Amino acid sequence: MPPTEEHPVYPAPPPRDDTRTLTTVAHTAFFLLLGASVVRFLLRHPGEPRTPWIIALSITLALLYVLGPALGAAPTARRLLWLGLVVTTWMVLVVLAPSFAWCAVPLFFTALRTLPPRAAIVLVALLTGFVVIAQLQLAKSFDPNLLLAPPAVAALATAVFVHMERQAQAQRTLIDDLIRTRRELAATERREGTLAERQRLSMEIHDTLAQNLSSQQMLLQAADRTWDTDPATARAHVRTATGIAAHGLAEARRLVHDLAPPELADGAGLAEALRSLDAGPDIEVRFHLEGTPAPLPDRVQSALLRIAQGALANVREHSGARTAALTLSFLGDQVVLDIADDGHGFTEPRTGADGRGHGLPAMRARVRQLGGTLTIESTPGEGTVLSAAIPLEPAP
């Protein structure tokens, strides 16, 4: 699978240090034992007719052994053929000179690395048998240690290697699980980030572009109804709709460039932005500031402004109110925005005109993201009060 954002390719873990060390020790031990066996044979048997064969077979065995790492450790046909040639050459050497028997110890490691476990154990047992026979041939009398020591060494070497391989396999499995978990976690974080961004954009669009378009539609419909009977009022509606369209264009550009709300641009504070809001030509909007203003994070200012815009849009479209009041209160450890109207109220929060009811859920989501609370109090015939409270970090 090619690398993608959902399935990144992580680098493979480096070879284990203990495996590399064991391999180096085994190769070094083999050549030391082979060289020592050649020297011992030449010292013990000078002028033997089989000496050229011993030297030729020793060189052949050394060259074959050197070729092993180039073939890799996987049990391929070439690797198995190579192992067979090495073992056969060694066996011939042992038959000609039993002193070469102890070269089998490094071959145990090679067999265990190359063959499946059961086949490797069979080969190790065969090599051990040759070692026992060779040592008994070299002994001048029967020595039980020569019969028991080689199998004990072979069993110990096999047990150590099998244990290390199991540990290595467990570590590889753990690394694979960690990589897969990290990949899944990264994908989950990306999905959550994407969903959060989609929710943020949907709230931004609802509170800005959708509300502006709804206001324009209402104004243009009013202008169309009064165009013949009251041209001045109709033109006023059109001019207001044009201003709202310009404001919507600024909002669209801000969404594209992910800038702050235009009401908060150029250093304007939240109070000034709230004071400039309106709910249409038929609703009077008043603003009140209570407490000592404190610097607010951009996220808090933007959220409260959007909540106020959404609430005034609901007042304009659903409440039938004549007046609305915005109150921004700084209470030390929190900032509270209240939006009250004198409309007909309701018993249950009702959905917007589009039937989806995105306004109030969007407000709750904004407040919840900032760790605050949103409350709504409404009584039929007595208006509605919406209150958004957001905690503030204590001053240092």
Side-chain angles (χ1 to χ4, degrees):
M1 178 183 295
T4 63
E5 291 187 358
E6 292 296 328
H7 299 282
V9 175
Y10 296 98
R16 287 166 50 93
D17 291 337
D18 51 1
T19 301
R20 283 202 302 262
T21 302
L22 181 59
T23 302
T24 303
V25 171
H27 292 342
T28 304
F30 177 82
F31 287 108
L32 288 176
L33 290 172
L34 181 61
S37 299
V38 172
V39 173
R40 182 181 185 279
F41 178 83
L42 293 178
L43 293 176
R44 296 287 183 91
H45 307 280
E48 283 274 346
R50 52 184 172 163
T51 299
W53 288 101
I54 296 297
I55 295 176
L57 288 172
S58 298
I59 294 175
T60 302
L61 182 59
L63 293 176
L64 286 173
Y65 197 87
V66 169
L67 292 176
L71 300 176
T76 61
R78 290 168 53 185
R79 176 78 175 178
L80 295 177
L81 177 61
W82 168 83
L83 180 61
L85 291 175
V86 170
V87 172
T88 302
T89 304
W90 172 80
M91 287 181 175
V92 174
L93 267 175
V94 173
V95 172
L96 295 177
S99 59
F100 284 86
W102 285 109
C103 292
V105 175
L107 293 181
F108 293 164
F109 173 75
T110 303
L112 291 168
R113 286 194 64 195
T114 303
L115 299 175
R118 292 185 179 179
I121 292 175
V122 172
L123 181 56
V124 168
L126 178 62
L127 297 178
T128 304
F130 264 78
V131 173
V132 171
I133 295 172
Q135 294 301 307
L136 291 176
Q137 288 179 352
L138 291 174
K140 296 180 180 180
S141 61
F142 178 76
D143 187 348
N145 285 334
L146 300 179
L147 185 64
L148 299 177
V153 172
L156 180 61
T158 302
V160 170
F161 181 85
V162 170
H163 177 69
M164 289 183 61
E165 279 296 299
R166 288 177 177 174
Q167 283 188 326
Q169 181 60 40
Q171 186 183 47
R172 286 192 291 268
T173 302
L174 178 60
I175 291 174
D176 292 341
D177 291 341
L178 290 175
I179 291 176
R180 183 173 59 255
T181 301
R182 182 169 60 178
R183 182 186 299 119
E184 293 174 353
L185 179 60
T188 300
E189 291 176 348
R190 282 192 292 273
R191 286 194 296 268
E192 290 178 351
T194 300
L195 292 176
E197 183 65 12
R198 288 178 178 175
Q199 183 184 31
R200 185 188 71 83
L201 288 176
S202 67
M203 292 188 299
E204 292 282 344
I205 292 172
H206 175 273
D207 293 342
T208 58
L209 301 181
Q211 300 293 356
N212 288 338
L213 290 173
S214 175
S215 299
Q216 293 175 55
Q217 182 184 32
M218 294 176 61
L219 290 167
L220 293 175
Q221 289 174 345
D224 182 66
R225 288 193 300 268
T226 60
W227 192 264
D228 295 328
T229 58
D230 192 353
T233 301
R235 292 189 184 93
H237 288 328
V238 172
R239 285 192 296 270
T240 304
T242 302
I244 295 176
H247 185 273
L249 179 60
E251 288 287 354
R253 289 172 176 168
R254 184 197 63 80
L255 288 175
V256 172
H257 297 287
D258 198 25
L259 301 176
E263 294 88 352
L264 298 175
D266 301 326
L270 178 61
E272 290 76 7
L274 293 175
R275 187 176 284 110
S276 66
L277 295 181
D278 66 80
D282 299 327
I283 302 176
E284 180 186 0
V285 178
R286 295 190 296 267
F287 173 75
H288 305 279
L289 178 63
E290 296 184 357
T292 302
L296 297 176
D298 293 341
R299 294 177 61 225
V300 174
Q301 295 189 71
S302 179
L304 291 177
L305 177 60
R306 294 305 183 213
I307 290 172
Q309 290 173 326
L312 290 178
N314 288 338
V315 170
R316 179 179 61 248
E317 297 178 15
H318 307 302
S319 70
R322 304 301 299 174
T323 60
L326 301 178
T327 303
L328 181 64
S329 304
F330 289 89
L331 304 179
D333 60 343
Q334 64 178 345
V335 59
V336 180
L337 175 64
D338 298 312
I339 302 98
D341 67 72
D342 60 355
H344 47 63
F346 51 88
T347 55
E348 293 291 339
R350 45 185 189 177
T351 62
D354 57 2
R356 291 175 293 179
H358 191 72
L360 291 178
M363 296 180 197
R364 290 193 176 95
R366 288 183 186 277
V367 174
R368 185 169 56 250
Q369 290 173 357
L370 296 172
T373 57
L374 182 75
T375 57
I376 302 174
E377 298 179 1
S378 183
T379 302
E382 298 184 6
T384 302
V385 177
L386 182 147
S387 179
I390 297 178
L392 299 177
E393 293 290 336

